[in-house]
Amino acid sequence: MSDKTLSTPLPTAPAVPAAQAPLTGWRNVWRVYAEAATLRMLLLGFSAGLPLLLVFGTLSFWLREAGINLTTIGYLSWVGLAYGFKWVWAPLVDRLPIPVLTRLLGRRRSWLLLSQLGIMAALVGMALSDPKQALTPMVWCALAVAFSSATQDIALDAFRIESAGTERQAALAASYQTGYRIAMIWAGAGALWLAARAEVPNAASYQPAAWQTAYLVMAASMLLGIVTVLFSPEPAARTRDAVADLRETAATQARFAASGVPLYGLVLLATLLLMALLAVAAPGMALMVVYFATSAYLLPLALFVLLIVLLARSGLRIPLLARLLPAATWFTYAFFVPFADFLRRYGRQALLILALIAIYRISDVVMGIMANPFYVDMGYTKDEIAAVTKVFGVIMTLAGAFVGGALAMRFGVMRVLMLGAVLSAASNLLFAWLGTRGHDTQALIFVISADNLSSGIASAAFIAYLSSLTNVNYSATQYALFSSMMLLLPKFLAGYSGTFVDAYGYSNFFTCTALLGVPVLLLVWLASQSKVPVAQ
């Protein structure tokens, strides 16, 4: 919260060139995948990937079968805004201990276990809801799944980054992404297969009990991640010297006592507390506030940002009671310093980096929410979709993730990042082509295979890129900022996907989502030309 923090010697790690030497020799590259940390990320990646489709794609299939209209399904995808705003509570996950659990398991594992238990409980709540009878309970449970899942992501990303050095992050990212994609297939094709098996033959076309069975099995599947957390070692905290940290904290607290705290910091703190209270008391209302602030009323949002900038530049400070000084200091290092560290290390390049992060996955995310409704409207059955995704999707996902990670370690992240951007946009055009084929299972196999391959390559490279930008002293907070920005704009635009499809049709929608990927190519090229350092 101090306006002088940027001039304070922050606990940053030494930077090295972005073109860090990749691992030499294919044997050394593939050997990394057999290391314990890499295999562990495979299982934890499964735990991270399981909830996503259960509140997006699979849920949209369930809602469509229950007779919910496409516009409502599109709007309900805003449940995913929890992933876009996880940076707000990431500092708490980074620094706040959980009573008893943190002492027993450590900082990262305690938050992982708590969030995984929250996901299980909320999935059970979804299983016991019927959207055709009452949509509101389903929405509340989906919000709880998304919030708990976003919290798991915060802790897991920090766990992964702290488990190995920068040169192995591509392998960890590929293993994580493989587990993640396998979980998405299980939560997508697997859930559809389970629901189809649980249906009563020759009964009504919509059977909520079948979906209840599928979601209860999904909740039980979270046990894999829970067991992995319980048997995993806590990663060694690679932080700065403790004496220097205490000295700097004491100096900040003394400065607050002598001259007060910055006024803009108090305004930001009050805003965060208000949004947190609103999110706890009325999540639906909080989402509406976010919606109006980011779309309908951009002027008030811009004025608020301008107010914060003016207050920061004015240097206005307010005296604080002595008993509140420790809390103000803690807030400074939990919320302000991690973001100040990022801006300090990257300077003007920070805007380019954040812009690339904000739109890199825009083609995939915006398209994804309408994929399952598209299959339903094209006449594909649950069994057909499950069979194609389960066989060809798994094979191509594994191939894409491991090939993407190996290419990134061998040739560098930026080259594979460009390849992934091209493939992600091109695969959306295949869905537009599929819309012209009618009920064609062979075409469906080809499109899903290509989509999973391209997504695996792009995701492995992108996760490695984000990890390279993160300072391990603030790994949870900084990575949460990056991954939140990755989803915020795409998820917001995805909310209008149902309205667009209703107005213009699926083929035009898929073509437009492919065109959204064109600016990504320019930003990847600009980022590759700039000498962006990576953190250690």
Side-chain angles (χ1 to χ4, degrees), residues 51 113-129 137 140-146 148-149 215-216 218-223 226:
L113 181 62
L114 181 65
S115 59
Q116 289 168 344
L117 293 174
I119 292 169
M120 281 189 69
L123 286 176
V124 171
M126 291 183 70
L128 301 179
S129 303
W140 280 89
C141 291
L143 280 169
V145 171
S148 299
S149 176
Y215 268 68
L216 287 175
M218 293 299 114
S221 299
M222 285 299 299
L223 289 172
I226 291 174

Side-chain angles (χ1 to χ4, degrees), residues 88-111:
V88 175
W89 68 92
L92 301 179
V93 179
D94 221 353
R95 297 175 67 93
L96 189 66
I98 301 173
V100 181
L101 276 181
T102 298
R103 179 171 54 83
L104 294 175
L105 300 176
R107 180 176 51 170
R108 301 307 182 199
R109 292 198 300 153
S110 60
W111 277 101

Side-chain angles (χ1 to χ4, degrees), residues 40 100 210 223 344 443 507 524:
R40 194 177 300 123
V100 181
L223 289 172
R344 179 180 181 272
S507 292
V524 173

Side-chain angles (χ1 to χ4, degrees), residues 23-39 167-168 170-172 175 402 405-406 409-410:
L23 292 174
T24 57
W26 285 108
R27 178 176 297 181
N28 291 332
V29 168
W30 294 113
R31 188 178 295 163
V32 176
Y33 285 113
E35 295 177 355
T38 310
L39 297 175
E167 74 284 353
R168 278 170 165 72
L172 265 62
S175 184
F402 281 103
M409 288 188 289
R410 187 70 175 85

